[in-house]
Structure formats: C-alpha cells, structure tokens
Amino acid sequence: MTIRRTKIVATLGPASSNPEVIEQLILAGMDVARLNFSHGEADDHRERARLVRELSAKHGRFVAIMGDLQGPKIRIARFREGSVTLSAGQPFTLSNSHPPEEGDSSIVGIDYPSLVQDCKPGDELLLDDGRVVLVVDAVEEHAVHTTVTVGGPLSNNKGINRRGGGISAPSLTDKDKEDIKLAAELQMDYVAVSFPRYGSDIQQARKLVQEAGSKAWIVAKIERAEAVADDRALDAIIKVSDAVMVARGDLGVEVGDARLVGIQKRIIQHARTLNKLVITATQMMESMVSSPMPTRAEVSDVANAVLDYTDAVMLSAESASGNYPVQAVTAMARVCLGAEQEPTTTRSGHRLGETFNRCDETIALASMYAANHFPGVKAIISLTESGHTPLIMSRIRSGVPIYCYTRHPGTQRRAAMFRGVYTVPFDAAKIDPAAVSDHAIEKLTERGLLKKGDWVILTKGDFYSNSGGTNGMKILKVR
C-alpha cells in the first residue's frame, strides 16, 4: 500500500459545513482543517471544529485544525450601484473622507485611512488581486489621486495592494486578538498570522496565543513584499515561526506574478533548512470551484510543490465554497501520490556538510541517513513528547514512513501536518522499559505495515516525559 507523504489542508466553509461532507473530506484525505476567520461567525467555527474532532476520532484519523486570522483589511469601500467599470487612462480617486456607500466611477471611499501616508506619486496600486491597476498621480491629506492603467470591473470591498509592498498596517487587529481567544477555546493546533512583515509580528502573535492559554503552533503567512525582500528578511520571519505558508494571492500581487514561482521555491527551501513546516497555498485547483476535474496546469502546480518538498498543499475556495469540495481533496491526493513516485522525492543532500546544534536534531538526522542508506529499513519510529524529533526527520527527503509515537493529543494532531509523518497513540511511560521497543513494533505489525525480517529504526529518550530529550537510536529487526 502506497501512503501519501504530502499533507492536505482543506478550508471549511458553506460548502463543507454539514457532517456528511466533513466526513467525506476526512475519508478523502484531509489532514488539516482550515477555519478562515475572515468569514463566518464564532459559532460557525465552533461547530465545524466540533465536527472535525468527532468525525476524525470516529475513523481513527488525526486531523489538525488551523485557525487563519483575517489580518488588516486594506480595502476600498462600496459603490452606489454595487460595482463600476474603469477604463485605462481615466482618473480615479481613493478617498478616506468620501461617504463609504457612495462610490462611483470617479471616486470611492477606503477603509484604511493610512493609505494616504503610505503612497507617493509614481506608486502602483493593485485592486482586486491585481485585476485593476492604478498609478498614483498626487496625494492629498484625505485622498489619493490616480490614473487607471489596467481597467475592468471593480465591485465593493475589494482589496488594495501596493506594488513592492510598503503598506504600514499592523499585522494583528482587534478582531484578530478576539479570534486568538476563540482559537484557544477550541484548542486549535495551528494559528496562521496574516500579513506579517517582520519577525516581531510573529512574536507578538505568539505572546497573545500563549496568554490565551493555547499551545497552538504559529504559521506565518508570507504575503508581503517586505517579507521576501532578501534572505535575511525571510529567515527572520521563518526562525520565529513554527510553520510558514506561501500565500500566493497577495504575495503574487505585491512582487509580480513573474517572480512568484522562484520565490515560492526559495521559501520552501529556507523553511526546510531552518526545520520549519511549509504550506503551499492559493488557487492550487481553482477551476474545481465549478468543475469536477482540475486543469493540467493545476495538476502541474500541485505536483511542482510536492517535488519541491512542501509539507502540505492547500485548498481554499475549492473546498470552502465550491461545488466539488470532496472531489477537490480526492484530486489533490491523487496528484500528490503521483508526484511522490518520482525518484527525486526520496533523494536528499539536506544539510550534508553542516554541523548540528542539538542532540535530538543529531539523532533525527542520523536516523534519516541510516534509513535512506540501509535498504531493509521499512519504518522509523520516533517516541516523542512535543513532536520535534519527527519534525526534524521529516525535513529529509525519504520514502521511509516516519511514525510519531506520542501520548499527547495535541502532538498527535499537530503531526498531521508533517510531511511523511503519521501518528500512532502510544504511552511509553506505562510500559516496562525493557518491552517498549517490542510494543512499538507490534503496533505496526498489527496494522500490516511491517512483517517478519523488516528492519526498523527507533528513536527515544532516556525519560519519556521530557520534551527535547531524544538521545538514542536503535536499528531493530522484526522477529
């Protein structure tokens, strides 16, 4: 049986809120359920989280839940008629004093007053994910006067980006701070922070998450030009995060679509080198909002991320509001499995020639080297408290499955995001130390994942209650 290594994040929404659909998503391969705080009420998220937990337990699956914070809303206000059509060459004004419901084809209000301080003549502003482009001619105290360079239809509440970045809105809003409390209440496994520009934005989010009593890991959504201005800026955000998301919508608008693929590859590489998780997101199978089959280009996009060794690929509108949410997860799973058949996905030169900083990191990387060079090894078992050791292991390209043996429900769910890692509930502290290895191997033989004569690598610490205490590796033969 071939086990899929790349994990799938699926956004839940109106199309995927009833128990039947959520159950089908879990059975089709959803590893992480994303709850988007930009939409829906708190009670909607409570019910979806409850259903995910209940239905994944029913099927013996471990599904993590990620709460995605909305972040600052940098948007135009509304039009008197609901929408307008702008033509190239015409003047158009963005005003923070214009009545919010009274926009027309010459002027519209904005809900972000600081835009006038963030802009200067010559800047390019991109509206509605770059579908409409404006060039700034002049800036006054309450208005930005522009000329349309790329026209088209424009409707209410569309987003505003500045080419090259430079929007100064704080990453965390008052709404985000309330949603962090909701994430803590629901014991979410991950909290995603929108529009961070600097590592300090992530540190502030982590402080708020911890103060709310949550142990959620922090996902930095890389979607600002400042965040990828150079390797130093990127690494500063990655290092203080637990995971990063290549959020290609706003990022593509700010850096330009021509640079996006190269930047995506750089983010994935840097995240893995720095021992962090990485999610590739946005429009991966967008056509499946209205079609039961993906396009060839979408298949290539997902496969390309898999070959770059992303931990997870993500569905947004496809599973949240599309007509074919279950088919989208099924298609994504199929493409991931197909791409993983390529030999390059199991060959690694990761960190060869580098020194390691921690004992558990050294054991983890040594285990993967052994697994990749000893053909008889069929499984790696990591006895872990926090999940850190299997996380480090999963940074290495390998075809050998890594099993995260842990007693902690939070770690059991969290590991659902790790590429090539699979959870096995296991409390080593309740077993005679001399019998722990045999019991661990039995768990996999009972499931038909190991047979007599197979080799197994097992890592553990001297004590089963210390996080970061992995200091031993054994190579065992199944008897």
Side-chain angles (χ1 to χ4, degrees):
M1 180 180 69
T2 303
I3 307 175
R4 173 171 46 84
R5 300 194 293 275
T6 311
K7 304 305 179 75
I8 294 173
V9 182
T11 306
L12 302 185
S16 48
S17 287
N18 69 60
E20 292 77 17
V21 174
I22 291 176
E23 186 167 26
Q24 289 177 57
L25 291 175
I26 291 168
L27 294 174
M30 176 175 72
D31 299 292
V32 182
R34 172 177 174 252
L35 304 183
N36 185 358
F37 289 137
S38 297
H39 306 286
E41 301 299 322
D43 283 344
D44 298 329
H45 300 308
R46 286 188 180 96
E47 179 62 9
R48 288 166 189 158
R50 185 190 70 79
L51 286 169
V52 169
R53 293 268 158 79
E54 181 182 295
L55 294 167
S56 57
K58 173 184 171 182
H59 292 284
R61 289 282 314 281
F62 295 90
V63 177
I65 298 178
M66 179 170 68
D68 196 329
L69 302 177
Q70 177 176 279
K73 291 174 67 177
I74 304 169
R75 301 179 186 277
I76 61 171
R78 291 165 293 284
F79 296 100
R80 195 178 301 128
E81 304 297 329
S83 66
V84 297
T85 298
L86 302 181
S87 302
Q90 77 166 79
F92 189 65
T93 298
L94 306 172
S95 168
N96 59 24
S97 60
H98 192 72
E101 307 287 342
E102 296 295 317
D104 58 33
S105 60
S106 64
I107 186 169
V108 72
I110 48 178
D111 63 10
Y112 175 62
S114 297
L115 186 69
V116 294
Q117 281 93 49
D118 291 342
C119 291
K120 63 184 186 302
D123 283 352
E124 264 191 314
L125 298 179
L126 302 105
L127 278 57
D128 192 14
D129 285 341
R131 292 177 177 87
V132 172
V133 181
L134 315 174
V135 171
V136 177
D137 300 320
V139 180
E140 296 178 349
E141 184 181 358
H142 296 292
V144 178
H145 300 286
T146 75
T147 298
V148 178
T149 56
V150 177
L154 184 64
S155 56
N156 296 341
N157 303 118
K158 294 302 182 186
I160 305 170
N161 295 86
R162 178 178 174 270
R163 180 83 76 193
I167 298 292
S168 61
S171 180
L172 292 168
T173 66
D174 289 342
K175 173 176 164 46
D176 295 334
K177 292 170 185 176
E178 288 304 308
D179 287 336
I180 284 173
K181 294 176 184 175
L182 177 62
E185 174 199 327
L186 299 179
Q187 297 184 321
M188 289 190 179
D189 307 292
Y190 294 92
V191 170
V193 179
S194 296
F195 303 109
R197 291 178 295 158
Y198 311 109
S200 57
D201 295 328
I202 300 301
Q203 289 168 325
Q204 182 192 3
R206 189 180 299 282
K207 182 171 180 285
L208 292 170
V209 165
Q210 290 173 345
E211 286 174 352
S214 172
K215 295 181 179 178
W217 282 19
I218 308 298
V219 181
K221 295 171 68 178
I222 308 295
E223 49 193 338
R224 283 276 185 244
E226 294 94 324
V228 294
D230 52 40
D231 287 351
R232 188 174 173 182
L234 177 60
D235 288 353
I237 291 178
I238 295 173
K239 284 175 180 176
V240 295
S241 308
D242 300 299
V244 295
M245 181 190 296
V246 190
R248 303 182 304 179
D250 286 281
L251 181 62
V253 170
E254 292 208 355
V255 303
D257 56 7
R259 290 195 60 210
L260 185 60
V261 173
I263 289 172
Q264 171 179 315
K265 289 175 180 288
R266 178 155 54 98
I267 294 169
I268 294 172
Q269 180 205 335
H270 281 233
R272 298 193 68 80
T273 299
L274 293 169
N275 293 331
K276 309 294 182 173
L277 300 168
V278 57
I279 307 162
T280 305
T282 317
Q283 295 181 330
M284 298 211 81
M285 290 189 161
E286 183 80 359
S287 73
M288 291 196 73
V289 169
S290 55
S291 168
M293 290 290 289
T295 67
R296 290 287 182 267
E298 289 164 345
V299 168
S300 295
D301 182 35
V302 173
N304 180 56
V306 171
L307 293 171
D308 285 339
Y309 228 67
T310 191
D311 283 278
V313 285
M314 190 174 106
L315 296 165
S316 299
E318 302 97 328
S319 58
S321 57
N323 295 329
Y324 303 97
V326 177
Q327 291 91 328
V329 172
T330 302
M332 190 167 259
R334 183 178 70 247
V335 173
C336 290
L337 276 167
E340 289 165 5
Q341 305 312 304
E342 285 302 301
T344 55
T345 65
T346 60
R347 294 177 190 155
S348 179
H350 179 77
R351 301 186 69 187
L352 287 178
E354 289 187 29
T355 55
F356 308 141
N357 300 315
R358 295 169 44 151
C359 175
D360 56 351
E361 180 181 42
T362 304
I363 293 292
L365 296 171
S367 299
M368 297 308 297
Y369 187 88
N372 282 347
H373 290 79
F374 186 10
V377 174
K378 302 301 181 187
I380 300 159
I381 296 173
S382 174
L383 274 54
T384 180
E385 291 286 301
S386 66
H388 186 72
T389 300
L391 169 66
I392 303 294
M393 290 174 173
S394 66
R395 303 307 84 193
I396 302 280
R397 290 175 180 258
S398 178
V400 181
I402 302 161
Y403 294 96
C404 172
Y405 277 50
T406 182
R407 60 188 174 134
H408 299 290
T411 305
Q412 290 167 0
R413 295 191 303 266
R414 191 183 301 134
M417 181 99 81
F418 304 0
R419 178 164 176 147
V421 175
Y422 314 95
T423 292
V424 176
F426 192 81
D427 190 350
K430 292 182 176 177
I431 301 169
D432 178 355
V436 165
S437 296
D438 288 340
H439 275 267
I441 290 172
E442 275 175 26
K443 286 273 188 182
L444 297 185
T445 54
E446 287 168 359
R447 301 180 185 196
L449 298 169
L450 289 175
K451 63 182 187 303
K452 188 176 179 180
D454 289 341
W455 290 92
V456 178
I457 291 174
L458 184 144
T459 67
K460 64 184 184 68
D462 289 335
F463 303 98
Y464 298 119
S465 57
N466 292 354
S467 181
T470 298
N471 63 359
M473 176 186 94
K474 291 181 178 180
I475 302 179
L476 304 166
K477 195 168 188 178
V478 180
R479 297 193 298 272

